[in-house]
Amino acid sequence: RSRAYCLLSLPTITMRAILLLAVGAAALKAPKQTALAVRGGGDDSTNEIIMKVSAAAATASGALTILDKSDLVEKYIFFGLNPATSGAAYGVALLGWGVGKINAVQSGAKSIKNFAKLNLIPMACWIATNFQNDAPMTENIFPGLFAAAYAYIVWG
């Protein structure tokens, strides 16, 4: 595919729209927060929503990969931006990652913040691996968005 196609493809436009909506929603909430709360991370309800979306993406990806449907993961969860790895072991790892996120949500605001802080490590590794392997820049959009969301939770 040409570079112009990747920049204007439907999945990319969809991701940009989602990002713009998320940024817009965060901007609308920002004036209601105190300076201390902004420096201490996002507000609890927004953090919970972010973690629930992340948990849904990970658990759905894991379950579909276990069922040998990684093509659906690539198309509908990664929006065609990232290749989905197949194999039951990879699916089980994704499912476990998702279950950890569900546990963080069920355990409350402090657990969500701690999970997000620790989860920045695998997200940074994912992006670094993409750079090391000369992956197309589009493959950094998905992990980059989640890394930004986790950083928001931690540092707001």
Side-chain angles (χ1 to χ4, degrees):
R1 296 180 191 168
S2 71
R3 188 170 263 258
Y5 173 79
C6 289
L7 292 175
L8 299 174
S9 67
L10 183 58
T12 303
I13 292 168
T14 303
M15 287 298 291
R16 287 181 181 168
I18 291 169
L19 177 63
L20 287 173
L21 287 172
V23 169
L28 291 173
K29 289 191 117 185
K32 297 176 187 173
Q33 296 175 336
T34 65
L36 183 60
V38 172
R39 281 181 264 151
D43 65 271
D44 292 347
S45 65
T46 302
N47 294 351
E48 185 176 329
I49 291 167
I50 291 169
M51 194 59 69
K52 283 179 178 178
V53 169
S54 181
T59 50
S61 297
L64 287 168
T65 302
I66 290 168
L67 296 171
D68 200 26
K69 300 290 184 188
S70 58
D71 57 321
L72 297 177
V73 174
E74 186 172 331
K75 185 175 181 179
Y76 295 110
I77 296 176
F78 292 164
F79 301 105
L81 297 170
N82 295 74
T85 304
S86 59
Y90 183 73
V92 169
L94 277 171
L95 191 58
W97 199 5
V99 168
K101 294 173 186 193
I102 292 168
N103 182 62
V105 170
Q106 290 177 339
S107 297
K110 185 175 180 181
S111 185
I112 290 171
K113 191 170 287 217
N114 287 335
F115 189 94
K117 187 185 307 179
L118 292 172
N119 209 42
L120 285 168
I121 296 167
M123 300 312 290
C125 291
W126 186 355
I127 294 167
T129 301
N130 284 346
F131 280 115
Q132 184 178 14
N133 295 333
D134 293 322
M137 286 304 290
T138 56
E139 290 188 24
N140 292 311
I141 294 171
F142 194 75
L145 286 173
F146 277 103
Y150 299 142
Y152 171 80
I153 290 172
V154 176
W155 296 293

